[in-house]
């Protein structure tokens, strides 16, 4: 949380409260700290199984409202200033020190927690801190340095507290010896002004300043207010007077008592005094005092009039002549209202209702316009309640923009039923309130008689505090850390990382208990909650992690490619021959991994990834990057290491080009038995390996053994492979001559694209709403290319100017938009969303939303339903036409492309196929691995995947070797490379005898919690160039009318800005491109309103889609050849929607 790198990576650094800039706080970190780092998406039992509701559905751990609440906690973080004495890169900020808290940017409103309570519950109230606590035993002080800008109590040389802070140095015995932290070992006696001070925030001891650190405490958010006025010349300026919390030290003591004897101008000219009026001006008592309006207003001769029985209404001049004094224990001391009353009472005075004179020699309090003084005027506040019962303080305009949930005890006054004397204004019910205590609970009671618990806050809006803001952060971290999910969530993740992909419920439970108790198997480690030593001991020493005479077929995992490389180099005693540091090329695009280069915060693979051949409840995370290109890239790299005895670039090795091929850097020379032990954990390499080694030349036996062992299941997986026997021969399928050809391409905008800036309403009132809603991220008219459409509220829209090819295709009738679209189980209104309507699982989370957008079964977490593209392929292959269909992914393992029967072909975006450098030479070793079947599911999946990767890469490699494209195709960017390979594959359609192809390509980087304007410009420009080049090639091949491109994304984004970007939302706007479209238009109803709180707004500008993804996929599937009888199987949620939710094929396509 405090890491500046994490703050930048998950974009909460610089996030600020709504009061700061009228933008919502960034939600990125608040979401991921729960989903990825602590508690996960669903409530867990101790054994890792999901807690389910009455319908058997998993129960979410948090809602999007919780994310919004916690996002407000992570406001105010920023880099520490640069300093000396650390390594730095010129031009960079301080990324060494933990982030600092800028308290004025931190949100100060109440934060509901995950249990229906509030952050801050259980902490003591700050108002209960005893006066003089700064002198008590264990009082803590932290050294601030030798300068301080602010109020401070200067300790006398005779002070016992000064001696304690000065390291025991007493008066006159020398300079202080300061410590960074001082905790009083016992109570010390007060001295001088210390005795009247309450609890000063800062004290000065000698030349140093210390901050007094009281125990963490909270305030009640609602209070009965007291007016505080500026202490300087602006005392009487109404706009500067505030309704403040009287229980907190927010203002100084301004005291006065008695009555004045001020004369008017007439008396002044005659040199008459009030005291001599009975002689000089006797009619004053009969005609002026309390009778003449001007006298009543100005209260001339107030004391004399009262003493003569004709005083002004309400006067009590028993204190005699007027006196005033500002009271303090040290300069600019701020106290509570009760303390101010006590200070004044000690002087025989009261809190003054009028401005007192500036400080004099006797009262050097130093109050000015930067401080406040208490007045005796009380002030009342009201609470504003919305339709859902959320409340806002009505103290000012900023507070009205910050609603929060409260626990009402007896209903609430809503805008639709706003009882008198409450008032209905701006769709809110405004009610004055009083405070009361019921059964020990502090309650707020509205004048309508409704009650809710008064929520705590750590920091006051009127007194921002760095320490209070950080206390709130710590309270949230503790709240999450103590959650019931943490132990099983962490247990499951760590067990997976230590080599067991599918631990049993008992294994997870035992590790979770070790985490909770700090004990395992009778041994106490730290013995505390969260003890990682006990946790790791339980993981490693558990019976399930130990070797067994009867190993389970599901115990184990596939090893990560980078781990295998490092294992091999270490086992072979690798040492660079030139004694340089070990360096390798960036292997992200070669093996799917590179140190410190995880493509997203979600790691290189998902913990719940499920290979297509696995059972429904089994996962194998590492297989997500076990693709043909990545695995064959790994094999080529291994063979290069073995052949050249080190890291070199030769033959697709992992080294750099400047390194010599002949490395001679592997120092190990040993027997086959020891080599096998080092690489597989067993001395017996197996008969198949021994046979290969025996058949090799004497000079190549050791390398032959290395090659065979690194390809063996025993090296590739954790666990016992469990050899089953010979693998049955694979049947050969003969393809018939193709009858027709069509291709569909899903261009996935990964990260959640802000597509309300892709197509924008123009020249109508909806554009005004768009600008109002989007504020700093709104596009101006010069930033779009205008188009026209029919059937929408606006007939003119604008396409983002960085997407010129889309504008050209639209003008040519070859592009259309689908608006207001996203993942839905069934049609959903805002009321249903807030109630019992069926929703997507893990709504607004990347992993679940990405899966939902690709499976079109968003109610079911994970990839179990298989992808929509894969199901379309299954239907095309199994229908009456028995189409010859292939499903490709150019973006690694894709949920969209995988069917139940159809296996996706994963191609490399740079090369198309990655082929073995020495295929012929490796055939014996490959056959050695793939000829056998295995009982262990990871070994079996590895072997089958190995065989398929080699077979398909050789087959498709041969096709692609013969391709010559029709255009001068440019492929500089990642997306251009993917479309380039799609164009090459389509060019092989005749040779492959293909009839239907389904492609998945991906453009990442759309998770714009920050830099959304610049980010969209770059990404839309990249997409525009890629589509332009691809369309030109399709037209040159004469096939564009048989090709359709459609876009999709995880989700849309909030209409409202967080000040830097936009956050996760729901509905979006997407497009299709193809040569066979009927017309260019915007399909589906564009939202009728974009104002906050509109009929589709689920909160903060998160629009609920009116139309499902099926609206776009349904006509495309029919155009591809899916039959009507198959539609319900291809689109399982189709029956939940009617024809108005779907675009028909005849409306979208010419034929």
């Amino acid at each position: 949380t405090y890491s500046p790198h994490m703050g930048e990576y998950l974009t909460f650094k610089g996030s600020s409260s709504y009061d700061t800039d009228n933008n919502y706080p960034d939600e990125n970190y608040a979401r991921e700290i729960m989903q990825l780092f602590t508690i996960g998406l669903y409530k867990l039992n101790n054994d890792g199984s999901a807690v389910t509701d009455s319908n058997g559905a998993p129960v979410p751990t948090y809602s999007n409202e919780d994310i919004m609440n916690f996002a407000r906690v992570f406001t105010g973080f920023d880099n520490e200033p640069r300093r000396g004495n650390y390594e730095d890169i010129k031009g960079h900020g301080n990324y060494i020190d933990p982030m600092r808290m800028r308290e004025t940017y931190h949100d100060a409103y109440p934060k509901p927690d995950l249990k229906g309570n509030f952050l801050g519950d259980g902490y003591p109230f700050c108002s209960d801190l005893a006066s003089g606590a700064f002198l008590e035993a264990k009082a803590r002080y932290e050294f601030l340095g030798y300068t301080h800008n602010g109020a401070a109590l200067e300790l006398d040389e005779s002070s016992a507290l000064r001696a304690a802070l000065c390291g025991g140095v007493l008066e006159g015995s020398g300079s202080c010896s300061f410590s960074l932290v001082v905790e009083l070992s016992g109570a010390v006696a007060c001295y001088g002004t210390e005795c009247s001070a309450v609890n000063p925030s800062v004290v000065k001891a000698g030349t140093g300043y210390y901050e007094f650190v009281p125990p963490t405490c909270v305030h009640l958010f609602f209070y009965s207010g007291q007016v505080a006025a500026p202490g300087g010349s602006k005392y009487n300026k109404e706009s500067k007077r505030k309704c403040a919390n009287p229980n907190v030290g927010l203002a100084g003591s301004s005291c006065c008592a008695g009555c004045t004897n001020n004369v008017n101008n007439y008396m002044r000219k005659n040199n008459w005094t009030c005291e001599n009026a009975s002689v000089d001006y006797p009619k004053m008592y009969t005609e002026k005092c309390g009778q003449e309006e001007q006298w009543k207003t100005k209260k001339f001769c107030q004391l004399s009039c009262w003493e003569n029985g004709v005083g002004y209404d309400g006067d009590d001049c028993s204190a005699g002549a007027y006196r005033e004094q500002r009271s303090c224990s040290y300069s600019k001391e701020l106290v509570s209202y009760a303390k101010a009353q006590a200070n004044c009472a000690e002087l025989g005075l009261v809190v003054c209702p009028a401005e007192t004179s500036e400080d004099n020699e006797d009262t050097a309090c130093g109050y000015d316009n930067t401080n406040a003084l208490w007045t005796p005027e009380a002030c009342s506040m009201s609470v504003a309640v919305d339709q859902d019962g959320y409340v806002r303080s009505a103290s000012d305009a900023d507070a009205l923009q910050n609603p929060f949930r409260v626990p009402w005890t007896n209903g609430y006054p809503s805008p639709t039923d706003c009882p008198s004397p409450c008032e209905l204004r701006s769709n809110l019910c405004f009610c004055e309130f009083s405070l009361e205590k019921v059964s020990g609970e502090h309650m707020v009671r509205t004048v309508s008689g409704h009650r809710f618990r008064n929520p705590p806050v750590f920091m006051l809006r009127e007194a921002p505090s760095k320490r209070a803001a950080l206390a709130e952060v710590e309270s949230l971290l503790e709240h999450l850390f103590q959650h019931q999910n943490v132990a099983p969530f962490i247990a499951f993740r760590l067990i997976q990382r230590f080599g067991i992909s599918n631990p049993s419920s008992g294994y997870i439970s035992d590790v979770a208990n070790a985490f909770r108790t700090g004990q395992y198997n009778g041994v106490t480690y730290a013995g505390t909650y969260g003890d990682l030593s006990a946790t790791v001991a339980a993981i490693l020493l558990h019976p399930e992690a130990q070797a067994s005479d009867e190993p389970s077929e599901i115990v184990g995992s596939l090893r990560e490619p980078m781990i295998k490389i490092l294992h091999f180099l270490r086992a072979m005693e690798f040492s660079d021959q030139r004694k340089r540091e070990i360096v390798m090329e960036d292997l992200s695009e070669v093996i799917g991994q590179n140190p410190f280069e995880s493509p997203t915060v979600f790691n290189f693979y998902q913990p719940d990834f499920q290979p297509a051949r696995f059972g429904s409840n089994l996962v194998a995370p590492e297989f997500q990057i076990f693709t043909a290109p990545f695995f064959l890239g790994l094999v080529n790299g291994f063979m290069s290491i073995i052949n050249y005895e080190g890291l070199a670039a030769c033959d697709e090795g992992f080294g750099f080009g400047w390194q010599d091929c002949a490395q001679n850097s592997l120092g190990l020379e040993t027997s086959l038995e020891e080599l096998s032990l080092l690489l597989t954990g067993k001395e017996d390499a197996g008969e198949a390996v021994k046979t290969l080694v025996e058949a090799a030349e004497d000079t190549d036996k050791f390398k032959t053994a290395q090659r065979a062992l690194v390809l063996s299941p025993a090296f590739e997986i954790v666990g016992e492979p469990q050899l089953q026997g010979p693998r049955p021969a694979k049947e050969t399928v003969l393809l018939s001559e193709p009858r027709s050809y069509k291709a569909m391409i899903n261009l996935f905008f990964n990260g959640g694209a802000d597509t309300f800036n892709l197509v924008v309403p123009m020249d109508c009132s909806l554009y005004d709403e768009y600008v109002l809603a989007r504020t700093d991220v709104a596009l101006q008219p010069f930033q779009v290319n205008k188009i026209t459409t029919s059937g929408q509220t606006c007939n003119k829209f604008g396409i983002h100017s960085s997407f010129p090819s889309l504008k050209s295709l639209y003008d040519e009738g070859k592009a259309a938009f689908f608006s207001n679209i996203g993942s839905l189980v069934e049609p959903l209104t805002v009321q249903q969303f807030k109630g019992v309507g069926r929703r997507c699982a893990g709504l607004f989370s990347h992993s679940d939303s990405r899966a939902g957008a690709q499976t079109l079964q968003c109610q079911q977490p994970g990839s179990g339903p298989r992808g929509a593209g894969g199901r379309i392929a299954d239907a095309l292959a199994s229908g009456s036409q028995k189409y010859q269909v292939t499903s490709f992914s150019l973006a690694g393992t894709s949920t969209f492309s995988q069917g139940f029967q159809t296996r996706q072909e994963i191609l490399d975006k740079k090369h198309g196929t990655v082929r073995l450098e020495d295929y012929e030479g490796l055939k014996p070793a490959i056959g050695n691995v793939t000829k056998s079947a295995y009982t262990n599911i990871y070994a079996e999946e590895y072997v089958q995947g190995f065989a398929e990767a080699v077979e398909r890469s050789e087959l498709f490699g041969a096709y692609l070797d013969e391709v010559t494209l029709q255009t001068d195709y440019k492929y500089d960017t990642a997306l251009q490379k993917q479309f380039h390979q799609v164009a090459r594959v389509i060019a092989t359609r005749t040779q492959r005898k293909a009839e239907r192809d389904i492609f998945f390509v991906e453009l990442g980087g759309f998770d714009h919690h920050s830099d959304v304007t610049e980010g969209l410009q770059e990404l839309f420009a990249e997409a525009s160039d890629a589509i332009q080049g691809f369309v030109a090639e399709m037209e040159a091949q004469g096939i564009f009318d048989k090709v359709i491109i459609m876009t999709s994304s995880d989700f849309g984004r909030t209409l409202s800005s967080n000040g830097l970007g936009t956050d996760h939302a729901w509905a979006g706007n997407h497009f299709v491109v193809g040569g066979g479209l009927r017309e260019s238009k915007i399909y589906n109803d564009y939202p009728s309103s974009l104002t906050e709180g509109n009929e589709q707004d689920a909160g903060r500008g998160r629009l609920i889609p009116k139309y499902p993804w099926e609206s776009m996929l349904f006509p495309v599937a029919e155009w591809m050849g899916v039959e009507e009888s198959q539609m319900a199987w291809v689109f399982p949620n189709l029956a939940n929607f009617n024809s108005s939710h779907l675009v028909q094929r005849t409306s979208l396509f010419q034929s």
Side-chain angles (χ1 to χ4, degrees):
T1 295
Y2 296 93
S3 164
H5 296 282
M6 183 60 75
E8 188 163 292
Y9 188 43
L10 287 182
T11 64
F12 67 101
K13 184 187 76 175
S15 179
S16 57
S17 67
Y18 191 89
D19 286 359
T20 303
D21 55 11
N22 288 334
N23 288 310
Y24 291 98
D26 189 306
E27 298 173 3
N28 201 7
Y29 187 63
R31 183 184 308 278
E32 308 307 356
I33 193 176
M34 291 191 285
Q35 180 179 346
L36 300 181
F37 304 154
T38 54
I39 62 177
L41 287 169
Y42 303 104
K43 290 185 178 180
L44 302 175
N45 296 306
N46 197 55
D47 63 2
S49 61
V51 175
T52 57
D53 61 18
S54 57
N55 296 319
V59 178
T61 50
Y62 56 87
S63 67
N64 206 67
E65 181 184 325
D66 296 319
I67 292 170
M68 293 175 66
N69 288 330
F70 294 166
R72 296 189 288 122
V73 175
F74 297 116
T75 52
F77 280 107
D78 202 358
N79 292 81
E80 284 283 1
R82 296 176 66 180
R83 60 174 175 82
N85 200 31
Y86 70 86
E87 290 188 46
D88 191 13
I89 300 175
K90 188 175 182 180
H92 284 221
N94 182 343
Y95 284 87
I96 300 297
D97 296 322
M99 289 190 291
R100 59 174 165 161
M101 172 58 70
R102 301 177 68 179
E103 62 272 24
T104 55
Y105 292 173
H106 185 76
D107 183 280
Y109 296 92
K111 317 293 192 307
D113 65 15
L114 297 176
K115 297 180 178 180
N117 299 313
F118 292 92
L119 296 181
D121 282 345
Y123 287 81
F125 292 116
C126 299
S127 57
D128 291 342
L129 183 66
S131 178
F134 72 109
L135 301 170
E136 297 297 323
K138 297 187 177 181
R140 179 184 173 89
Y141 290 84
E142 295 183 5
F143 188 63
L144 295 178
Y146 298 93
T147 60
H148 172 66
N149 183 23
L153 171 63
E154 187 165 357
L155 305 178
D156 191 274
E157 288 189 350
S158 300
S159 164
L161 177 59
R162 181 187 187 278
L165 297 179
C166 283
V169 178
L170 301 176
E171 178 184 2
S173 62
S175 60
C176 291
S177 175
F178 298 116
S179 299
L180 290 177
V181 177
V182 174
E183 187 172 286
L184 300 185
S185 58
V188 297
C190 66
Y191 183 86
T193 54
E194 296 170 17
C195 298
S196 59
V198 182
N199 286 302
S201 298
V202 177
V203 299
K204 184 180 181 183
T207 57
Y209 291 87
Y210 277 94
E211 179 186 8
F212 167 55
V213 184
T216 300
C217 60
V218 294
H219 310 275
L220 291 171
F221 182 70
F222 291 102
Y223 51 85
S224 298
Q226 200 74 25
V227 173
S233 60
K234 298 181 180 180
Y235 181 92
N236 291 310
K237 193 167 184 177
E238 194 62 35
S239 63
K240 299 297 182 181
R241 298 165 74 89
K242 301 294 184 182
C243 188
N245 188 338
N247 304 311
V248 183
L250 296 176
S253 306
S254 174
C255 312
C256 66
C259 296
T260 61
N261 263 341
N262 298 325
V263 298
N264 63 8
N265 288 334
Y266 177 73
M267 294 176 70
R268 188 177 295 110
K269 288 178 181 179
N270 289 287
N271 291 321
W272 296 342
T273 65
C274 298
E275 291 79 3
N276 294 327
S278 58
V279 176
D280 298 329
Y281 194 33
K283 70 175 184 178
M284 178 183 86
Y285 298 115
T286 59
E287 299 179 12
K288 303 295 182 180
C289 291
Q291 298 183 52
E292 191 171 293
E293 285 302 317
Q294 186 184 31
W295 278 66
K296 287 195 290 184
T297 301
K298 299 292 186 179
K299 291 192 174 183
F300 296 124
C301 296
Q302 181 186 22
L303 178 60
S304 294
C305 290
W306 184 82
E307 288 176 336
N308 285 274
V310 287
Y312 300 99
D313 289 344
D315 277 359
D316 178 4
C317 297
S318 57
Y322 178 77
R323 293 182 299 129
E324 64 180 33
Q325 184 174 337
R326 296 181 176 185
S327 173
C328 60
S329 299
Y330 55 94
S331 179
K332 297 186 177 181
E333 180 188 27
L334 302 180
V335 297
S336 67
Y337 182 67
K339 177 62 175 174
Q341 289 178 307
N343 288 345
C344 293
E346 287 184 7
L347 300 172
L349 306 175
V350 296
V351 175
C352 198
E355 182 178 6
T356 54
S357 63
E358 300 292 336
D359 297 335
N360 53 44
E361 293 179 0
D362 298 323
T363 58
C365 290
Y367 297 118
D368 54 29
N369 286 327
T370 63
N371 317 115
L373 296 172
W374 289 114
T375 75
E377 180 184 353
C379 50
S380 62
M381 294 190 299
S382 59
V383 60
V385 188
D386 68 17
Q387 191 61 41
D388 296 316
Y390 289 62
V391 304
R392 301 158 164 85
S393 167
S395 59
D396 54 55
D398 282 341
L400 281 173
Q401 300 301 316
N402 289 273
F404 50 90
R405 184 182 69 242
V406 295
W408 293 92
T409 61
N410 56 341
Y412 58 88
S414 70
T416 55
D417 184 20
C418 189
S420 178
C422 300
E423 297 180 8
L424 179 64
R425 301 196 303 269
S426 303
N427 292 320
L428 296 171
C429 187
F430 287 77
C431 302
E432 292 188 358
F433 63 82
S434 58
L435 302 178
E436 57 188 27
K437 203 169 184 180
V438 179
S439 301
E441 291 277 12
H442 292 270
M443 306 296 290
V444 175
R445 179 189 175 96
T446 67
V447 291
S448 61
H450 299 94
R451 291 191 186 94
F452 62 86
R453 184 160 69 85
N454 198 351
V457 290
F458 287 88
M459 189 177 86
L460 296 170
R461 295 178 62 216
E462 53 268 59
S465 161
K466 188 187 307 291
R467 196 171 293 281
L470 291 174
E472 183 175 69
V473 174
E474 288 297 325
S475 76
L476 173 55
L477 298 183
E478 186 68 14
H479 179 61
L480 294 177
F481 183 56
Q482 296 292 339
H483 192 280
Q484 66 184 45
N485 268 35
V486 170
F489 181 83
I490 295 296
F492 176 64
R493 293 298 191 275
L494 286 181
I495 292 170
Q496 280 195 326
R497 298 282 52 78
F498 276 94
I500 308 295
S501 290
N502 293 282
S504 68
S505 58
Y507 190 0
I508 295 173
S509 182
D510 289 346
V511 174
N513 287 335
F515 180 91
R516 293 183 195 280
T517 64
Q519 301 175 339
Y520 178 68
N521 200 25
V523 177
T524 299
Y525 295 84
T528 58
Y529 177 83
D531 180 6
L532 288 181
S533 54
T535 303
V536 174
I539 292 171
L540 297 178
L541 302 178
H542 195 276
E544 201 166 315
Q546 304 299 307
S548 171
D549 294 334
E550 297 181 2
S552 167
E553 63 184 32
I554 67 169
V555 170
S557 64
L558 179 71
R559 300 174 70 210
E560 299 175 71
M562 184 56 67
I563 297 296
K564 289 182 281 196
I565 293 170
L566 297 178
H567 174 187
F568 185 78
L569 291 175
R570 287 172 172 167
M572 297 302 105
E573 299 178 4
F574 172 85
S575 177
D576 187 88
Q577 60 175 335
R578 298 183 181 179
K579 307 303 179 184
R580 293 175 297 197
E581 290 188 16
I582 300 172
V583 291
M584 289 184 279
E585 279 278 15
D586 185 345
L587 301 180
S588 299
E589 300 296 330
V590 179
I591 65 171
Q593 283 190 312
N594 203 61
F596 311 111
E597 295 293 336
S598 170
T600 71
V601 71
F602 296 95
N603 202 352
F604 299 98
Y605 41 75
Q606 297 285 342
D608 59 354
F609 176 75
Q610 185 180 71
R613 280 184 281 257
F614 273 34
S616 59
N617 296 319
L618 297 175
V619 300
E622 295 81 2
F623 273 104
Q624 190 168 359
I625 56 173
F626 184 76
T627 66
F630 287 158
F631 177 64
L632 297 182
L634 178 67
V635 173
N636 284 334
F638 265 129
M639 297 308 117
S640 176
I641 292 174
I642 293 168
N643 293 338
Y644 299 108
E645 299 184 19
L647 292 169
C650 307
D651 297 338
E652 301 299 326
F654 299 143
F656 285 89
W658 48 262
Q659 294 168 315
D660 297 333
C661 284
Q663 287 288 299
N664 301 316
S665 298
L666 303 183
L668 182 70
E669 293 183 8
T670 187
S671 64
L672 176 60
E673 289 74 20
E674 185 177 359
L675 180 65
S676 177
L677 181 63
L678 289 170
L679 295 180
T680 70
K682 296 181 178 180
E683 289 186 333
D684 185 0
E687 292 303 318
V689 174
K690 294 175 184 176
T691 301
L692 285 174
V693 173
E694 290 171 0
E697 299 289 337
D698 289 345
T699 57
D700 196 43
K701 288 186 182 296
F702 189 67
K703 290 184 177 180
T704 298
Q706 289 175 312
R707 296 185 192 104
L709 287 169
V710 297
L711 296 178
S712 69
F715 177 75
E716 293 286 338
I717 73 164
V718 173
E720 176 58 49
Q722 302 174 58
L723 181 64
Q724 189 177 47
R727 183 176 302 282
K730 188 176 180 181
E731 294 183 9
T732 301
V733 178
L734 297 177
L735 299 178
S736 58
E737 291 301 315
R739 296 158 290 180
S740 64
Y741 180 80
K742 286 183 180 179
M744 61 177 285
I745 304 160
N746 183 1
L747 167 53
F748 193 77
F749 291 155
N750 194 4
D754 195 332
T755 50
F756 276 97
N757 272 13
L758 171 63
V759 57
V760 179
M762 298 300 300
D763 300 342
C764 63
S765 59
L766 204 54
Y767 176 72
D768 299 329
E769 293 184 6
Y770 163 85
V771 172
L772 184 65
R774 307 234 72 187
T775 61
D776 59 317
V777 301
L779 296 179
Q780 300 304 309
F782 70 89
Q783 294 175 298
V784 300
N785 295 317
K786 290 184 180 179
I787 59 173
T788 60
T789 189
S790 60
Q792 298 290 346
T793 303
C794 298
N795 60 17
K796 288 185 180 179
F797 283 77
I799 301 174
H800 197 291
S801 60
S802 294
F803 225 134
S805 69
L806 187 56
K807 164 68 161 74
S808 299
L809 288 164
Y810 189 92
D811 290 344
E812 295 169 9
K814 298 173 181 176
F817 288 92
F818 281 76
S819 78
N820 215 342
I821 195 170
S823 292
L824 285 173
V825 182
E826 61 186 9
L828 200 65
T829 65
V830 171
Q831 291 71 30
Q832 290 168 334
F833 171 75
K834 294 177 178 179
V836 296
R838 296 177 67 193
R839 307 189 217 177
C840 300
L843 192 61
F844 309 127
S845 91
H846 280 292
S847 54
D848 285 280
S849 296
R850 184 162 49 243
Q854 294 185 30
T855 65
L856 271 62
Q857 282 186 267
C858 65
Q859 69 268 38
Q860 186 170 338
S863 57
R866 303 297 188 261
R871 295 199 305 272
I872 290 173
D874 288 343
L876 292 170
S878 62
S880 62
Q881 297 299 309
K882 298 291 189 295
Y883 288 110
Q884 291 161 187
V885 58
T886 308
S887 182
F888 296 93
S889 172
L890 279 296
T893 302
S894 153
T895 297
F896 179 82
S897 306
Q898 183 64 52
F900 288 95
Q901 288 78 41
T902 302
R903 286 187 60 80
Q904 59 184 310
E905 299 288 347
I906 300 175
L907 301 180
D908 181 72
K909 66 185 177 185
K910 183 176 180 181
H911 304 287
T913 58
V914 174
R915 301 167 77 175
L916 293 174
E917 285 295 296
D918 184 20
Y919 175 57
E920 292 299 324
L922 284 175
K923 273 186 175 179
I926 295 170
N928 172 58
V929 173
T930 60
K931 69 182 181 182
S932 300
Y934 295 86
T935 301
N936 181 281
I937 60 173
Y938 313 102
E940 180 63 14
E941 181 66 20
Y942 161 70
V943 170
Q944 288 199 48
F946 185 4
E948 291 167 352
V950 174
E951 176 190 349
R952 304 300 284 178
S953 67
E954 290 300 315
L955 176 64
F956 280 103
Y959 289 140
L960 294 175
D961 285 346
E962 303 300 320
V963 168
T964 301
L965 295 181
Q966 304 301 306
T967 59
D968 182 16
Y969 206 112
K970 293 182 179 180
Y971 44 95
D972 299 322
T973 66
L975 189 59
Q976 283 178 322
K977 289 181 172 110
Q978 293 178 67
F979 270 108
H980 175 242
Q981 297 304 334
V982 174
R984 295 180 70 210
V985 172
I986 290 176
T988 69
R989 59 190 179 278
T990 302
Q991 293 89 332
R992 293 185 292 114
K993 299 183 179 180
E995 294 180 324
R996 297 291 186 269
D997 282 333
I998 298 173
F999 296 93
F1000 181 85
V1001 297
E1002 183 177 276
L1003 179 60
F1006 280 96
D1007 193 20
H1008 287 131
H1009 292 275
S1010 61
D1011 300 325
V1012 64
T1013 301
E1014 299 81 359
L1016 288 181
Q1017 287 175 352
E1018 295 175 3
L1019 292 175
F1020 284 163
E1022 181 175 347
S1024 181
D1025 291 344
I1027 290 174
Q1028 181 178 17
F1030 176 76
V1031 168
E1033 175 62 30
M1034 292 298 97
E1035 291 177 332
Q1037 291 187 26
I1039 196 70
F1040 187 42
D1041 63 330
K1042 303 300 182 185
V1043 174
I1044 185 76
I1045 303 170
M1046 60 180 189
T1047 62
S1048 59
S1049 188
D1050 322 27
F1051 38 62
R1053 302 194 81 83
T1054 53
L1055 293 177
S1056 60
S1057 167
N1058 63 32
L1060 298 170
T1062 51
D1063 293 309
H1064 300 188
W1066 203 343
N1069 306 294
H1070 288 268
F1071 64 82
V1072 294
V1073 166
L1077 297 183
R1078 179 169 294 281
E1079 61 179 328
S1080 291
K1081 65 177 294 185
I1082 298 178
Y1083 291 93
N1084 299 338
D1085 295 332
Y1086 192 86
S1088 59
S1089 174
L1090 299 177
T1091 58
E1092 190 164 352
N1094 67 69
E1095 64 179 12
Q1096 289 183 238
D1097 188 5
R1100 233 208 90 179
R1102 289 183 174 88
L1103 299 192
I1104 300 172
K1106 187 175 180 180
Y1107 302 91
W1109 287 116
E1110 287 87 344
S1111 173
M1112 181 169 61
L1113 266 292
F1114 176 82
V1116 172
E1118 186 178 356
W1119 177 79
M1120 287 287 286
V1122 174
E1123 298 163 23
E1124 183 178 357
S1125 61
Q1126 298 174 306
M1127 287 296 186
W1129 181 83
V1130 172
F1131 303 115
N1133 290 333
L1134 196 63
N1136 299 335
F1137 302 95
N1138 59 44
S1139 59
S1140 70
H1141 296 104
L1142 305 174
V1143 173
Q1144 300 303 310
R1145 174 185 59 81
T1146 53
S1147 297
L1148 184 60
F1149 294 98
Q1150 296 174 13
S1151 62

